Amino acid sequence: MIHSLFLINCSGDIFLEKHWKSVVSQSVCDYFFEAQEKAIDVENVPPVISTPHHYLISIYRDKIFFVSVIQSEVPPLFVIEFLHRVADTFQDYFGECSETAIKDNVVIVYELLEEMLDNGFPLATESNILKELIKPPTILRSVVNSITGSSNVGDTLPTGQLSNIPWRRAGVKYTNNEAYFDVVEEIDAIIDKSGSTVFAEIQGVIDSCIKLSGMPDLSLSFMNPRLLDDVSFHPCIRFKRWESERVLSFIPPDGNFRLISYRVSSQNLVAIPVYVKHMISFKENSSSGRFDVTIGPKQNMGKTVESVVMTVHMPKAVLNMNLTATQGSYTFDPVTKVLTWDVGKITPQKLPNLKGLVNLQSGAPKPEENPSLNIQFKIQQLAISGLKVNRLDMYGEKYKPFKGVKYITKAGKFQVRT
Amino acid sequence: MATTPPAAASSPPTTRGFSGSARKRRSRATALPPSPGPPLLAKAMLSLPPVQKLLRQLPAGPAKPPVGGDTAEEVTSPVLATEAGQPACYSALQVDELRLLAGPKPAVATSTGPSLRHDDLKEMLDSNKDSLKLEAMKRIVAMIARGKNASDLFPAVVKNVACKNIEVKKLVYVYLVRYAEEQQDLALLSISTFQRGLKDPNQLIRASALRVLSSIRVPIIVPIMMLAIKEAASDMSPYVRKTAAHAIPKLYSLDSDQKDQLIEVIEKLLADKTTLVAGSVVMAFEEVCPERIDLIHKNYRKLCNLLIDVEEWGQVVIINMLTRYARTQFLSPNQNESLLEESAEKAFYGSEEEDTKEPKAEAASLAKRKPYVMDPDHRLLLRNTKPLLQSRNAAVVMAVAQLYFHLAPKAEVGVIAKALVRLLRSHSEVQYVVLQNVATMSIKRRGMFEPYLKSFYIRSTDPTQIKILKLEVLTNLANETNISTILREFQTYIRSMDKDFVAATIQAIGRCATNIGKVRDTCLNGLVQLLSNRDELVVAESVVVIKKLLQMQPAQHSEIIKHMAKLTDNIQVPMARASILWLIGEYCEHVPKIAPDVLRKMAKSFTNEEDIVKLQVINLAAKLYLTNSKQSKLLTQYVLNLAKYDQNYDIRDRARFIRQLIVPTEKSGALNKYAKKLFLAQKPAPILESSFKDRDHFQLGSLSHLLNAKAVGYQELPDWPDEAPDPSVRNVEVPEWTKCTSREKRKEKAEKPFYSDSDGESGPTESADSEPESVSEESGSSSSSSSSSGSEEEEEEEEEGSGEQSEDKEEEEKRPKRKDKEGSRKAAMGSAGSPSEDEEEEEGAKKAKKKKAPPGRKSHAETSSEEASTSESSSSGSDSGSEAEAKRRKAPPSSRAGPKEISLLDLDDFTPPPPQPIPSSSIISTSLVTDLEGLTLTDTSLTPAISNNTDAEVKSLRVSEPKLLSGMRIQEFPEIERLAPGDTANVVMGIDFCDSTQAANFQLCTHTRHFYVSIQPPVGELMAPVFMSENEFKKEQGKLTGMSEITEKLTLPEKCRSDHAIVQQVTSAANVGRVPCGADNEYRFAAKTMTSGSLVLITLEQREGAVAQLTVNSEKMVIGTMLVKDIIQALAQ
């Protein structure tokens, strides 16, 4: 399976390598660099590269390439999914999955990689088990360690690996027992020139933060579970219960985790909470163009649309932009040609507007296409699909936990064509 | 288990043998290094900073061996001793200085050469402070991580392998695994540590020792590894067995000669019943012996059933393997439909050239086929994988998707589309892989993805490679109904800034146009408009596509050709120019005026053209010469002359060939007159095909599919067989479980709180094995019918465990020899199930001797299911010596007359329990041997085997005069007319004990005599397990308090403190099912009595140490009291 792993930063330095079988020379990465050069854009580096003796399967996360070396047939998704799991684990341990974080914690990283794979086959990937084996670094602990000389490696053996519920460690204790659920829905949409919706659907997740003592057995029910079209579960959820009763029944992992992700199909009409009026034009044979965009909330939403940000990838020919924003601030990066307008909150009384002139490279042909606008926004306390949590019951433990549910709607891949 | 003793027996000598060789090795190892040793040290001294030199002179006795946790070997090694010695002495004194020295180190390193650079690290490693060692190891690991060479530290590091500090130890392991291959001799020093670890009582330590040992790639330890793997494969702990499975491919890659032995281990581990092991062993199977598909047969159903509880990575491997397996074992579910489908598609697309004969032929062949019925095992696989589409792991979803694509009936494949579309929201790498697979699938099964068409719409922010794949899918999905939407979408794409993407879009439009005749003209017009695009690439791509489209139309598009002819002035892209020239040549008759002019221009620029353009110029010239020689003769000559001297030999050859062909000369061959036909023949229109066509011969989701090339180690997905191989190979024989294990089995199932409940799903029609499963779950109502064959069973039983067999033998030996004076027959009846039951025999008409077997505490006996009881029958009989009766009693454990296949789902990881102790009943030799084969029927049924060991024939054997308490019922067996000497007859009888612990008495009569028989059930067998949740349990327990609750304290003996042991003992004492329980130290079991169905709830709470409290809640107080006694006795054993 996975033979070796190289971590490579954006400037092409291999800053970490780990081999699970015999050592593979760093030079194998040259094939990767070659492909990277050819692709120009980092996003276009093919995830699977074939070299004479090896196959390279890579992912790009947080400005780091995780390049794994494979020697024989393996499902590519298996490797990709695993590499993402590695990145998630780093994120979980160090708060960020960056080059500096990895370099600073290189020993922990190495210990983690050692536990996660055995001979290239995944061994322990559940964060709860890993945390039992190797404690994540905290400031307090590093101070204590330097004084007492103790270490991050847990001296307990990973009993979690032996249990029926490997995602939960035994003997969890909290003074405040709490269970929080964030219902986060993202709207993916493509709006065409005329403002009509080409495609829209809702992707939702329920992220949980569960801090409960003992072995609680939870069941979460919805007012309208039929709404959920396609659901994928954390392994802790009892599939049968969902099939028969549409109730999420599970013994939760300890801490933060994603309980389910779901999709509300495009068959249901999706309410689009904002509209965009735009006027972008480039004059023939002149080195300028006009840019005028207004964002407004759609009626009867009842909630404010917040954190609105618009990003536009302008055509290459654009040299600079002179705009005025009635609200928020805008920046234009002349190198990447990205225009970002941070609008903030939308108030229906005064619609935010960004307007002004676009300077084009003189002599260059007029761009044929108007750039599409990518919009981000957030609406608190609303699940746009109308999904509602009905109740949360806990069995198996005697105490009364504090339960909380939060709803957020966000823009996902929300694009307006112009 | 049967294999354990030999393995154990063989291990010590081998280990010894090896350790001898290891010692030799070691001595060799120690012999070598001294040479580099001293100089190295000397150099080190020189290069040391002054303070350090000073320090070195301080200590008096530098040769002292290191203290600390080092093992004996290391001390004996002179190298290590010398190297370790000096620093060890002072480092203990001067820790702080050393720390300071560590700082400026790198500078020293670069200046003084490689051999010295890790000097300070060595010193730290040799110190006896764990914190220093840890610091050193951390730095070393950081070096390894950066890919720097740290191999010269090997001796210093390896001796810390036995360090007490866990983190140091782990880091040493990391180092060892990395460098052992390079320093094989020294690596051997560490082996003994691991060998010791392999014997550790803690399973986790055993596992980690095996893991590191097997990761050390040193060929010389292959025998040790082999031995360790074999031993670990039969370890009690499933976790260790999992590690053993992991070690198999490691050993195989080290030494492939071990294959045969490893296959044996794999075979053994494949039979393992735990979810923990399943994934790992299948992975080992795939790496070592993927061709041995026959090993899977027996484990197929178990794997299917376990699948949902296996960890996600294991699921992927198992599903992929099972896909291949299913392809070899089952018939294609689409064999009928595939024909229909093909003909339907043909009718759809190729409406122009439809062949009327073919469908008829197909229909005929269709009719001949017999109707297809899906193998239940095939269905089992499909059903059990389906829920995994909901997995959060993309690899699992993809694995299930490919399984459905390759194995499911066409009508069912659709379910995977939704899940695959969901994956499109994931990371872009996942999208990339999924889209590749969707592209392949959408060619074969377009309908599946049609509802999700819009999910493949492209955003301007998608990476180009994703865009192109989405485009591919959209094109595959296009049909007459949705083409207008798709084309509208394509129009947006054409204006994109991403030119590669635009080019791909144009091609896609071309493909849509060729596939869907209706929109051909629209597309063509659209493409022609693109010819005026400002971007040359776009124009060039359009030209190429238009050329292909024009070829399909009867040539009524001279306008377009004219327009394109004009483009030759501007377009520089060779492929586009070549395309235009070809078009003009091909249709020169439609543009008679323009064609010669184009040739003229091209002749002018001929020398500057690209090769493909030159070839087309020659082509054009030849065609014009043939159609319009008047205007083009000279031009053609000119072009051919230029070509004759071209640098490219292809072009020279072509010119020569064409000249010979078209220019008539005397010598010219016969072909000359056909030149026109050759050049201007009708050419079939090109078919624009997806590059993903036919990729599905690779297993989807595989690396090979993605690369469209066979990857190393790829296992071909076999074609469906024409005839299904024998499905009975998957039948599983009744494994040798004794009674108790089967009960544990049940309990295990109850223990599994997750997913497993889906097992219950299995409908009646579904799997073959679901039947026995459900039977075994039903409470006692099962009939006894299946308690067939005594003989077979006996054989099995005999294999079953040396334990029981030896019991029998023992008994036989003990049996006093008696002489049979009267020659009368006697029946010995092994009472099934309970040893404690009495057997009465009456010998002779007058003498009735009753003997009670000592109430040995054994519980076997009937479970509700047919696996009835092992009958360790205590035979009792007349002990009176006066009767010279050769009563032989044989008590084969007549367990499970159960179904031959039993469900494997709930199999446990427990080894079968130790053989039951034998009641030391007095033994009478009887001439009749009665074996109780089992108890079944209603509550209790027995299938005694009655054999006649006398030399006289026994006639009319029957049950008579049952003396039963009220409520008890007995189901007699039909009278046996005669039983020849030496014969054995199996009979089935049933007793309903009516929840009473009283014995059932009856007589066994022959034509001459009567024997009294008394059967008393052990209390534990009067119930059947029930499954309930923890909450239900608590609720029920709340109702059964006061009088119904019996509590007893007990002390658990040493060996009975583990979960495993407790559960095993309780379940062997009573037929109860385990109830999941949140608390660690509490065990709960539940059962229902057979007749009245009242609940019996058992709670065992382990207090500190050995003290435990047993609580039994039951309405039936007698049963409760006796049960408490029995359980305590079982636990105290």
Side-chain angles (χ1 to χ4, degrees), chain B residues 297-472:
Chain B
H297 293 320
K298 293 268 180 267
N299 303 298
Y300 172 83
R301 289 175 193 160
K302 178 193 69 188
L303 285 174
C304 288
N305 284 321
L306 283 181
L307 196 56
I308 200 157
D309 285 318
V310 175
E311 38 86 38
E312 44 197 356
W313 310 109
Q315 285 172 345
V316 179
V317 181
I318 296 178
I319 294 171
N320 280 317
M321 187 275 291
L322 288 179
T323 309
R324 229 173 61 236
Y325 177 85
R327 270 295 186 101
T328 62
Q329 300 298 321
F330 307 126
L331 291 178
S332 164
N334 296 322
Q335 51 184 343
N336 297 342
E337 293 145 49
S338 61
L339 288 175
L340 279 176
E341 174 196 337
E342 272 164 28
S343 52
E345 288 203 349
K346 235 173 237 160
F348 185 80
Y349 284 129
S351 41
E352 289 114 17
E353 63 252 69
E354 195 180 327
D355 186 347
T356 47
K357 277 176 200 164
E358 240 178 87
K360 273 183 200 163
E362 278 168 7
S365 74
L366 246 179
K368 264 184 245 157
R369 280 177 201 263
K370 52 177 185 255
Y372 168 79
V373 180
M374 188 184 274
D375 189 306
D377 287 331
H378 190 171
R379 171 55 64 202
L380 175 75
L381 177 61
L382 292 176
R383 197 185 61 235
N384 282 359
T385 46
K386 195 173 165 189
L388 295 177
L389 282 174
Q390 239 87 40
S391 171
R392 63 168 173 175
N393 188 319
V396 177
V397 177
M398 189 66 234
V400 179
Q402 65 84 20
L403 181 134
Y404 263 75
F405 182 78
H406 289 300
L407 300 181
K410 198 183 164 213
E412 292 170 39
V413 181
V415 298
I416 63 175
K418 206 189 255 185
L420 287 176
V421 170
R422 184 183 72 229
L423 296 186
L424 294 181
R425 268 283 288 190
S426 191
H427 302 283
S428 81
E429 297 88 5
V430 175
Q431 280 187 48
Y432 177 81
V433 177
V434 171
L435 282 171
Q436 296 248 3
N437 287 292
V438 170
T440 307
M441 290 184 194
S442 58
I443 290 174
K444 262 269 171 72
R445 306 234 187 279
R446 163 140 44 82
M448 189 162 103
F449 290 101
E450 257 180 40
Y452 305 98
L453 184 72
K454 288 187 173 176
S455 302
F456 298 100
Y457 280 6
I458 293 155
R459 294 183 165 77
S460 61
T461 41
D462 287 331
T464 310
Q465 52 184 356
I466 300 289
K467 285 181 186 164
I468 288 173
L469 285 169
K470 281 187 173 174
L471 204 56
E472 175 71 36

Side-chain angles (χ1 to χ4, degrees), chain B residues 531 536 539 564-573 577:
Chain B
L531 291 177
E536 193 180 72
V539 178
M564 289 173 77
K566 284 181 205 149
L567 293 172
T568 46
D569 295 339
N570 302 320
I571 293 187
Q572 293 308 320
V573 179
R577 289 176 76 85

Side-chain angles (χ1 to χ4, degrees), chain A residues 73 114 151 165 186 372, chain B residues 167 211 390 425 460 704 754:
Chain A
E73 173 65 47
E114 185 74 26
S151 69
I165 35 175
E186 297 194 349
S372 48
Chain B
E167 186 163 19
R211 202 181 139 194
Q390 239 87 40
R425 268 283 288 190
S460 61
S704 305
F754 297 100

Side-chain angles (χ1 to χ4, degrees), chain A residues 1 15-17 19-23 26 43-48 50 55 57-61 71-78 80-82 84-85 106-107 110-111 114-115 117-119 121-123 125-126 133 151-155 157-158 161-162 164-165 167 186 188-190 193 198-199 201 203 215 229-240 251 263 284 313 315 365-366 368-369 372 374 395-396 398 413 415 417, chain B residues 134 138 141-142 144-147 166-167 170-171 174 178 181 202-205 211 215 217 239 242 246 249-250 276 279-280 283 287 311-314 316-317 320 387 390-395 398 418-419 421-422 424-425 427 429-434 452 454-455 457-461 463-465 489 492-493 495-497 499 533-534 701-704 706-707 710-714 751-755 757-758 761 1031 1034 1078:
Chain A
M1 294 255 165
F15 65 93
L16 187 121
E17 62 177 73
H19 308 275
W20 283 275
K21 301 185 185 183
S22 40
V23 177
Q26 286 196 353
E43 285 175 319
N44 277 322
V45 181
V48 182
S50 174
Y55 306 96
I57 299 186
S58 60
I59 63 161
Y60 180 68
R61 277 275 293 259
Q71 222 158 21
S72 61
E73 173 65 47
V74 63
L77 268 185
F78 185 97
I80 289 170
E81 185 76 21
F82 177 79
H84 278 294
R85 207 61 74 80
V106 70
V107 174
Y110 231 67
E111 284 168 342
E114 185 74 26
E115 290 299 337
L117 276 186
D118 182 17
N119 195 36
F121 191 79
L123 196 62
T125 49
E126 280 296 334
L133 291 166
S151 69
N152 285 323
V153 173
D155 40 9
L157 291 156
Q161 269 167 321
L162 308 173
N164 261 333
I165 35 175
W167 54 86
E186 297 194 349
D188 285 0
I190 302 175
K193 237 180 195 165
V198 177
F199 166 76
E201 69 177 13
Q203 303 278 354
M215 275 286 166
D229 191 37
D230 179 36
V231 193
S232 79
F233 297 123
H234 189 276
C236 70
I237 292 175
R238 297 178 179 100
F239 182 69
K240 199 68 199 302
I251 293 181
R263 193 176 58 192
E284 195 73 53
H313 290 260
K366 143 190 133 102
E368 293 159 55
E369 188 202 30
S372 48
N374 297 299
Y395 306 100
K398 301 219 161 44
K413 296 173 177 174
Q415 197 160 79
R417 291 176 178 164
Chain B
L134 186 58
K138 281 187 172 171
V141 167
I144 297 175
R146 265 176 281 135
I166 291 189
E167 186 163 19
K170 278 196 175 170
L171 295 177
V174 168
R178 169 71 178 75
E181 212 171 7
N202 186 324
Q203 49 177 342
L204 293 158
I205 292 178
R211 202 181 139 194
S215 301
R217 289 169 297 274
Y239 184 62
K242 180 192 176 77
H246 276 276
K250 298 185 205 169
L276 210 53
S280 308
M283 190 264 304
E287 293 212 0
E311 38 86 38
E312 44 197 356
W313 310 109
V316 179
V317 181
N320 280 317
Q390 239 87 40
S391 171
R392 63 168 173 175
N393 188 319
M398 189 66 234
K418 206 189 255 185
V421 170
R422 184 183 72 229
L424 294 181
R425 268 283 288 190
H427 302 283
E429 297 88 5
V430 175
Q431 280 187 48
Y432 177 81
V433 177
V434 171
Y452 305 98
K454 288 187 173 176
S455 302
Y457 280 6
I458 293 155
R459 294 183 165 77
S460 61
T461 41
T464 310
Q465 52 184 356
E489 192 64 18
T492 328
Y493 301 162
R495 288 183 296 127
S496 165
M497 283 179 269
K499 293 305 164 203
N533 194 292
R534 218 176 292 125
S702 67
L703 186 60
S704 305
L706 192 75
L707 299 169
K710 215 173 144 183
V712 180
Y714 173 72
E751 260 176 337
K752 263 182 216 155
F754 297 100
Y755 286 134
D757 38 3
S758 62
E761 275 181 327
N1031 296 313
K1034 283 187 171 161

